[in-house]
Amino acid sequence: MKPQRRGELAAFLRSRRARISPEDVGMPPGSRRRTPGLRREEVAQLAGVGVTWYTWLEQGRPINASVQVLDAVARVLQLDVTERDHLYGLAGIPFVSEPVSDAEIVGEELLGVLGSLDPLPAAVYNARYDVQATNATYRVLWPMTALVERWERNVLYKLFTTPECCSTFKNSAEELPWMVAQLRRSYARHIGESAWEDFVALLIKESATFAQLWASGNVAAPGRRVKVFRHAEVGIINLTSLSLSIDGMAEHRIVVYTPVEEEDRLQIERLRAIDDPIVGCERHGRRLSAALADSVGRTERARQTGPAV
């Protein structure tokens, strides 16, 4: 980083720090403050970084700052999207704004299409099986792919990191190899991209089953499949999946799940009528409200802790 850029970064951080009072971050106002705003050591403590490191950052010294650390500092300084973009630019790191809603990813028009498909479960996936948007019935069948942090909203991640007894698929032995083979086919277009490489590495680390299937090298194309879904309270639901491409959204598809028989349609209606359904198997499952509360708690603790340096 050039000295001029480091100087601009240092000045920007000092100006943002000066406008944040201790009360803004839940700290007592204290006394004998010679300058407005937070002290450097307070920013460092709240962001979970070293005081010396943050001091050097504000002094414009030639040190490296990771995305995770800048995220933590930006959170403490309460930067908006434009300010974060400026901070990352000064630090020489590309900033990618995380979408906060399904509409930001797929648009209101496509959300309307998903909604019109109710009571058929439907979702938008990308080639990596990230869940980009869903309708109400999909969220009833697979709630924890819609109510968690966005990085967790991935079908493969949920299927391979959930115990077999709690899996939503009864026929996972047939479906999971096919899904991994489809992922590998898409991966060929993204070899070397950090998002894809990190995702595959994470699944290999978290799941020996995924690692074995990935090592097989099998490939497959999207197609019509029958998913045997099971739920602790209503039992078996047989669903046929159909993938539809989306104009203007490369490598994205709408997947619609249709009941195989009339009884499967009735099973969906029974599940939709449950106010607080069980997530997981009969032995380990919990009510959705409890599972969601735990997920929100973990997210909040992670935000408050921040990364260490």
Side-chain angles (χ1 to χ4, degrees), residues 224-241:
R224 177 182 177 276
R225 307 289 297 184
V226 174
K227 314 284 187 179
V228 183
F229 171 76
R230 60 183 174 190
H231 193 275
E233 292 183 280
V234 301
I236 299 299
I237 306 175
N238 299 286
L239 300 170
T240 300
S241 67

Side-chain angles (χ1 to χ4, degrees), residues 160-161 202-215:
F160 280 104
T161 59
L202 174 65
L203 283 181
I204 290 174
K205 176 183 176 182
E206 296 285 341
S207 171
T209 301
F210 176 87
Q212 181 180 11
L213 293 173
W214 186 256

Side-chain angles (χ1 to χ4, degrees), residues 121 136-143 168 229 231 237 239 257 268 271:
T137 305
Y138 183 98
R139 293 190 291 272
V140 169
L141 287 170
W142 296 287
T168 54
F229 171 76
H231 193 275
I237 306 175
L239 300 170
Y257 299 86
I268 292 177
L271 184 55

Side-chain angles (χ1 to χ4, degrees), residues 1-141:
M1 188 190 303
K2 295 181 178 180
Q4 184 178 1
R5 184 183 292 272
R6 291 199 300 269
E8 287 288 334
L9 174 61
F12 180 68
L13 287 172
R14 290 194 297 268
S15 69
R16 300 306 91 178
R17 176 167 60 85
R19 72 179 185 177
I20 303 296
S21 69
E23 296 92 331
D24 291 335
V25 292
M27 298 177 65
S31 59
R32 302 171 65 179
R33 287 181 179 266
R34 292 177 296 179
T35 57
L38 295 175
R39 299 186 177 101
R40 286 173 177 167
E41 58 268 26
E42 292 170 338
V43 174
Q45 178 184 356
L46 292 168
V49 302
V51 176
T52 300
W53 182 90
Y54 182 76
T55 299
W56 287 356
L57 185 66
E58 272 206 10
Q59 291 175 344
R61 297 199 188 189
I63 59 175
N64 294 322
S66 69
V67 173
Q68 292 78 12
V69 168
L70 288 179
D71 276 342
V73 171
R75 171 177 54 78
V76 173
L77 297 180
Q78 301 180 12
L79 304 186
D80 61 24
V81 172
T82 302
E83 291 170 327
R84 282 179 178 241
D85 187 26
H86 184 60
L87 172 66
Y88 277 66
L90 291 174
I93 298 175
F95 170 60
V96 179
S97 175
E98 285 292 325
V100 297
S101 69
D102 292 352
E104 286 187 27
I105 299 177
V106 305
E108 294 287 354
E109 188 173 86
L110 192 50
L111 281 183
V113 173
L114 291 176
S116 69
L117 290 168
D118 263 326
L120 297 179
V124 175
Y125 299 137
N126 63 14
R128 206 168 50 233
Y129 281 98
D130 292 325
V131 181
Q132 306 286 54
T134 60
N135 67 7
T137 305
Y138 183 98
R139 293 190 291 272
V140 169
L141 287 170

